[in-house]
Amino acid sequence: MGFFALLKTLTYLQYIGAETIIFSNVAAGLVTLLGLSMLALAHSLGTASDKISARIFMGMIVLVYLGVICDNLSWALEGTEHIAMNLILNMLAYIIMPFALVLYWNYQNRVFLDDFERSKKIKLIINVAATLDILNVILGTVTGYLFYISEDGMYCEGNGYFTIFIYPIITVICCAYENVRRKLPLQKKISLLAFGVTPVIALGFVMFIQDYSTIY
């Protein structure tokens, strides 16, 4: 029923032509989910020498998948009377991000097959920062400091919205630092960096094109 309700919403938005931005974001989200599904299928069919790193990688895919679903559904509810649900979905989309980045860090360290003392200290920083980021999202949602849903059901950024960018940037910088200083084939370095660097680049687009969801 939920799937058909979503399709009905998309058809309605497309028909009236008043919410083309919402329709574009949901459509892009559906394409993203298809791509993630193909990636998960390819990963499950492959053979991994390290079972733990394989599980971590699949965990990253699942978290991003859930993040896209929450983001998609929140766009589908934009401008409707379901204000509380829209608020919760946006909060979950933001909370999922630090969990995915923590897995990203652990996956990168697992792929490197070693764990230097410096990496342990950076890992502690990343874990503590992730906890603070999750608390920031929860408190920022409750108080409206991070974002809020207006009376007409529209998503609005709060005065502290910029704080949502701090943790992803910290994590990606730490991962990039570890990536550069380790001896690895160039292809593996690029593959590891892409997962973290690409969303950060997308964050830059969000600052200029706020009406379109690009991070996930």
Side-chain angles (χ1 to χ4, degrees), residues 45-96:
L45 294 177
T47 56
S49 57
D50 185 357
K51 299 296 183 181
I52 296 180
S53 64
R55 293 194 191 99
I56 296 175
F57 186 80
M58 184 60 76
M60 289 192 297
I61 295 177
V62 170
L63 285 176
V64 175
Y65 199 96
L66 292 175
V68 175
I69 290 177
C70 290
D71 188 62
N72 241 28
L73 291 177
S74 68
W75 276 109
L77 294 178
E78 192 80 350
T80 68
E81 70 276 9
H82 304 292
I83 295 177
M85 181 59 67
N86 196 355
L87 191 73
I88 293 172
L89 287 170
N90 275 286
M91 181 180 69
L92 289 176
Y94 284 125
I95 287 178
I96 288 171

Coordinates of all heavy atoms in Angstrom, one line a residue, residues 45-96:
L45 N 27.3 -11.4 -4.8 CA 27.7 -12.4 -5.8 C 29.2 -12.6 -5.9 O 29.7 -13.6 -6.4 CB 27.2 -12.1 -7.2 CG 25.7 -12.2 -7.3 CD1 25.3 -11.8 -8.7 CD2 25.1 -13.5 -7.0
G46 N 30.0 -11.6 -5.4 CA 31.4 -11.6 -5.4 C 32.0 -12.5 -4.3 O 31.3 -12.9 -3.4
T47 N 33.3 -12.7 -4.4 CA 34.0 -13.4 -3.4 C 35.0 -12.5 -2.7 O 35.8 -11.8 -3.3 CB 34.8 -14.6 -4.0 OG1 35.7 -14.1 -5.0 CG2 33.8 -15.6 -4.6
A48 N 34.9 -12.5 -1.3 CA 35.8 -11.6 -0.6 C 36.7 -12.4 0.3 O 36.2 -13.4 1.0 CB 34.9 -10.7 0.3
S49 N 38.0 -12.1 0.3 CA 38.9 -12.8 1.1 C 38.7 -12.5 2.6 O 39.0 -13.3 3.5 CB 40.4 -12.5 0.7 OG 40.6 -11.1 0.7
D50 N 38.3 -11.3 2.9 CA 38.1 -10.9 4.3 C 36.6 -10.7 4.5 O 35.9 -9.8 4.1 CB 38.8 -9.5 4.5 CG 38.7 -9.1 6.0 OD1 38.1 -9.8 6.8 OD2 39.3 -8.1 6.3
K51 N 36.0 -11.7 5.3 CA 34.6 -11.7 5.5 C 34.1 -10.5 6.3 O 33.0 -10.0 6.1 CB 34.2 -13.0 6.2 CG 34.5 -14.3 5.4 CD 33.7 -14.3 4.1 CE 33.9 -15.6 3.4 NZ 33.2 -15.7 2.1
I52 N 34.9 -10.0 7.3 CA 34.5 -8.9 8.1 C 34.4 -7.6 7.3 O 33.5 -6.9 7.4 CB 35.5 -8.7 9.3 CG1 35.5 -10.0 10.2 CG2 35.2 -7.5 10.1 CD1 36.5 -9.9 11.3
S53 N 35.4 -7.4 6.5 CA 35.4 -6.2 5.6 C 34.2 -6.2 4.7 O 33.6 -5.2 4.4 CB 36.7 -6.0 4.9 OG 36.9 -7.0 3.9
A54 N 33.9 -7.4 4.2 CA 32.7 -7.6 3.3 C 31.4 -7.2 4.0 O 30.5 -6.6 3.4 CB 32.6 -9.0 2.8
R55 N 31.3 -7.6 5.3 CA 30.1 -7.3 6.1 C 30.0 -5.8 6.3 O 28.9 -5.2 6.3 CB 30.1 -8.0 7.4 CG 30.0 -9.6 7.3 CD 29.6 -10.2 8.6 NE 29.7 -11.6 8.6 CZ 30.8 -12.3 9.0 NH1 31.8 -11.7 9.5 NH2 30.8 -13.6 8.9
I56 N 31.2 -5.2 6.6 CA 31.2 -3.7 6.9 C 30.8 -3.0 5.6 O 30.0 -2.0 5.6 CB 32.6 -3.3 7.3 CG1 32.9 -3.9 8.7 CG2 32.6 -1.7 7.4 CD1 34.4 -3.6 9.1
F57 N 31.3 -3.4 4.4 CA 30.9 -2.8 3.2 C 29.4 -2.9 2.9 O 28.8 -1.9 2.5 CB 31.7 -3.4 2.0 CG 31.5 -2.8 0.7 CD1 32.2 -1.6 0.4 CD2 30.7 -3.3 -0.2 CE1 32.0 -0.9 -0.8 CE2 30.5 -2.7 -1.5 CZ 31.2 -1.5 -1.7
M58 N 28.9 -4.1 3.1 CA 27.4 -4.3 2.9 C 26.6 -3.4 3.9 O 25.6 -2.9 3.6 CB 27.1 -5.8 3.1 CG 25.6 -6.1 2.9 SD 25.1 -5.6 1.2 CE 25.8 -7.0 0.3
G59 N 27.2 -3.3 5.1 CA 26.5 -2.4 6.1 C 26.5 -1.0 5.7 O 25.5 -0.3 5.9
M60 N 27.5 -0.5 5.0 CA 27.5 0.9 4.4 C 26.5 1.0 3.4 O 25.7 2.0 3.3 CB 28.9 1.2 3.8 CG 30.0 1.4 4.9 SD 31.5 2.1 4.1 CE 32.0 0.9 3.0
I61 N 26.3 0.0 2.5 CA 25.3 0.0 1.5 C 23.9 0.1 2.1 O 23.1 0.9 1.6 CB 25.5 -1.2 0.5 CG1 26.8 -1.2 -0.2 CG2 24.3 -1.2 -0.5 CD1 27.0 -2.4 -1.1
V62 N 23.7 -0.7 3.1 CA 22.4 -0.8 3.7 C 22.0 0.5 4.4 O 20.9 1.0 4.2 CB 22.3 -1.9 4.8 CG1 21.0 -1.9 5.6 CG2 22.4 -3.3 4.1
L63 N 23.0 1.1 5.1 CA 22.7 2.4 5.7 C 22.4 3.5 4.7 O 21.5 4.3 4.9 CB 23.9 2.8 6.6 CG 24.1 2.0 7.9 CD1 25.4 2.4 8.6 CD2 22.9 2.3 8.8
V64 N 23.2 3.6 3.7 CA 23.0 4.6 2.6 C 21.6 4.3 2.0 O 20.9 5.3 1.7 CB 24.1 4.6 1.6 CG1 23.7 5.6 0.5 CG2 25.4 5.0 2.2
Y65 N 21.3 3.1 1.8 CA 20.0 2.7 1.2 C 18.8 3.2 2.1 O 17.9 3.8 1.6 CB 19.9 1.2 1.1 CG 18.8 0.7 0.2 CD1 19.2 0.3 -1.1 CD2 17.5 0.5 0.6 CE1 18.2 -0.2 -2.0 CE2 16.6 0.0 -0.3 CZ 16.9 -0.3 -1.6 OH 16.0 -0.8 -2.4
L66 N 19.0 3.0 3.4 CA 18.0 3.5 4.4 C 17.9 5.0 4.4 O 16.8 5.6 4.5 CB 18.3 3.0 5.8 CG 18.1 1.5 6.0 CD1 18.6 1.1 7.4 CD2 16.6 1.1 5.8
G67 N 19.1 5.6 4.3 CA 19.1 7.1 4.2 C 18.4 7.7 3.0 O 17.7 8.7 3.1
V68 N 18.6 7.0 1.9 CA 17.9 7.5 0.7 C 16.4 7.3 0.8 O 15.6 8.2 0.4 CB 18.4 6.7 -0.6 CG1 17.6 7.1 -1.8 CG2 19.9 7.0 -0.8
I69 N 15.9 6.2 1.4 CA 14.5 5.9 1.6 C 13.9 7.0 2.5 O 12.8 7.6 2.2 CB 14.3 4.5 2.2 CG1 14.6 3.4 1.2 CG2 12.8 4.4 2.7 CD1 14.5 2.0 1.7
C70 N 14.6 7.3 3.6 CA 14.1 8.4 4.5 C 14.0 9.7 3.8 O 13.0 10.5 3.9 CB 15.0 8.5 5.8 SG 14.8 7.1 6.9
D71 N 15.1 10.0 3.1 CA 15.1 11.3 2.3 C 14.0 11.4 1.3 O 13.4 12.4 1.1 CB 16.5 11.4 1.7 CG 16.7 12.8 1.1 OD1 16.7 13.8 1.8 OD2 16.9 12.9 -0.2
N72 N 13.8 10.2 0.6 CA 12.8 10.2 -0.5 C 11.4 10.4 0.1 O 10.6 11.1 -0.4 CB 12.9 8.8 -1.2 CG 13.2 8.9 -2.6 OD1 13.8 9.9 -3.1 ND2 12.8 8.0 -3.4
L73 N 11.1 9.6 1.2 CA 9.8 9.7 1.8 C 9.5 11.1 2.3 O 8.4 11.6 2.3 CB 9.6 8.7 2.9 CG 9.6 7.2 2.4 CD1 9.5 6.3 3.6 CD2 8.4 7.0 1.5
S74 N 10.6 11.8 2.9 CA 10.4 13.1 3.4 C 10.0 14.1 2.3 O 9.2 15.0 2.5 CB 11.7 13.6 4.2 OG 12.7 13.8 3.3
W75 N 10.7 13.9 1.1 CA 10.3 14.8 0.0 C 8.9 14.5 -0.5 O 8.2 15.4 -0.9 CB 11.3 14.5 -1.2 CG 12.6 15.3 -1.1 CD1 13.8 14.8 -0.8 CD2 12.7 16.7 -1.2 NE1 14.7 15.8 -0.8 CE2 14.1 17.0 -1.0 CE3 11.8 17.7 -1.5 CZ2 14.6 18.3 -1.1 CZ3 12.3 19.0 -1.6 CH2 13.7 19.3 -1.4
A76 N 8.5 13.2 -0.4 CA 7.1 12.9 -0.8 C 6.1 13.5 0.1 O 4.9 13.8 -0.3 CB 6.9 11.4 -0.9
L77 N 6.4 13.7 1.3 CA 5.5 14.3 2.3 C 5.6 15.8 2.4 O 4.9 16.5 3.1 CB 5.8 13.8 3.7 CG 5.5 12.3 3.9 CD1 5.9 11.8 5.3 CD2 4.1 11.9 3.6
E78 N 6.5 16.4 1.6 CA 6.7 17.9 1.6 C 5.4 18.6 1.2 O 4.8 18.3 0.2 CB 7.8 18.2 0.6 CG 8.3 19.7 0.7 CD 9.3 19.9 1.9 OE1 9.5 19.0 2.7 OE2 9.9 21.0 2.0
G79 N 5.0 19.5 2.0 CA 3.9 20.3 1.7 C 2.5 19.7 2.1 O 1.5 20.2 1.7
T80 N 2.6 18.5 2.8 CA 1.4 17.8 3.2 C 1.1 18.1 4.7 O 1.9 18.8 5.4 CB 1.5 16.3 3.0 OG1 2.5 15.8 3.9 CG2 2.0 16.0 1.6
E81 N 0.1 17.5 5.2 CA -0.3 17.7 6.6 C 0.5 16.8 7.5 O 0.3 16.9 8.8 CB -1.8 17.5 6.8 CG -2.3 16.1 6.7 CD -2.6 15.7 5.2 OE1 -2.2 16.5 4.3 OE2 -3.1 14.6 5.0
H82 N 1.3 15.9 7.0 CA 2.0 14.9 7.8 C 3.3 15.5 8.3 O 4.4 15.1 8.0 CB 2.3 13.7 7.0 CG 1.1 13.0 6.4 ND1 0.1 12.4 7.2 CD2 0.7 12.9 5.1 CE1 -0.8 11.9 6.4 NE2 -0.5 12.2 5.2
I83 N 3.2 16.6 9.1 CA 4.3 17.3 9.6 C 5.2 16.5 10.5 O 6.5 16.5 10.4 CB 3.9 18.6 10.3 CG1 3.1 19.5 9.3 CG2 5.0 19.3 11.0 CD1 2.5 20.8 10.0
A84 N 4.6 15.8 11.5 CA 5.4 15.0 12.4 C 6.2 13.9 11.7 O 7.4 13.7 12.0 CB 4.5 14.4 13.5
M85 N 5.6 13.2 10.8 CA 6.3 12.2 10.1 C 7.4 12.7 9.2 O 8.5 12.1 9.1 CB 5.3 11.4 9.2 CG 5.9 10.3 8.4 SD 6.6 9.0 9.5 CE 5.2 8.3 10.3
N86 N 7.2 13.9 8.6 CA 8.2 14.5 7.8 C 9.4 14.9 8.6 O 10.6 14.7 8.2 CB 7.6 15.8 7.1 CG 8.5 16.3 6.0 OD1 9.6 15.8 5.7 ND2 8.0 17.3 5.3
L87 N 9.1 15.4 9.9 CA 10.2 15.8 10.8 C 11.0 14.5 11.2 O 12.3 14.6 11.2 CB 9.6 16.4 12.0 CG 10.5 17.1 13.0 CD1 11.0 18.4 12.4 CD2 9.8 17.4 14.3
I88 N 10.4 13.4 11.5 CA 11.1 12.2 11.9 C 11.9 11.7 10.8 O 13.1 11.2 11.0 CB 10.0 11.2 12.4 CG1 9.4 11.6 13.7 CG2 10.7 9.8 12.6 CD1 8.2 10.8 14.1
L89 N 11.4 11.6 9.6 CA 12.1 11.1 8.4 C 13.4 11.9 8.1 O 14.4 11.4 7.8 CB 11.2 11.1 7.2 CG 10.1 10.0 7.2 CD1 9.1 10.2 6.0 CD2 10.7 8.6 7.1
N90 N 13.3 13.2 8.2 CA 14.4 14.1 8.0 C 15.5 13.8 9.1 O 16.7 13.8 8.8 CB 14.0 15.6 8.0 CG 13.5 16.0 6.6 OD1 14.3 16.2 5.7 ND2 12.2 16.2 6.5
M91 N 15.0 13.7 10.3 CA 15.9 13.4 11.4 C 16.7 12.1 11.2 O 17.9 12.0 11.4 CB 15.2 13.4 12.8 CG 16.1 13.2 14.0 SD 15.2 13.2 15.6 CE 14.3 11.6 15.4
L92 N 15.9 11.1 10.8 CA 16.5 9.8 10.6 C 17.6 9.8 9.5 O 18.6 9.2 9.5 CB 15.5 8.7 10.3 CG 14.6 8.3 11.4 CD1 13.5 7.4 11.0 CD2 15.4 7.7 12.6
A93 N 17.2 10.6 8.4 CA 18.2 10.7 7.3 C 19.5 11.3 7.7 O 20.6 10.9 7.3 CB 17.5 11.6 6.2
Y94 N 19.4 12.3 8.6 CA 20.6 12.9 9.1 C 21.4 12.0 10.1 O 22.6 12.1 10.2 CB 20.3 14.3 9.8 CG 20.0 15.4 8.8 CD1 18.8 16.1 8.9 CD2 20.9 15.7 7.8 CE1 18.5 17.1 8.0 CE2 20.6 16.7 6.9 CZ 19.4 17.4 7.0 OH 19.2 18.4 6.1
I95 N 20.6 11.3 10.9 CA 21.3 10.4 11.9 C 22.0 9.2 11.3 O 23.1 8.8 11.7 CB 20.2 9.8 12.9 CG1 19.8 10.9 13.9 CG2 20.8 8.7 13.7 CD1 18.7 10.5 14.8
I96 N 21.5 8.7 10.2 CA 22.1 7.6 9.5 C 23.5 8.0 8.9 O 24.4 7.1 8.9 CB 21.2 7.1 8.3 CG1 20.0 6.4 8.9 CG2 21.9 6.2 7.3 CD1 18.9 6.1 7.9

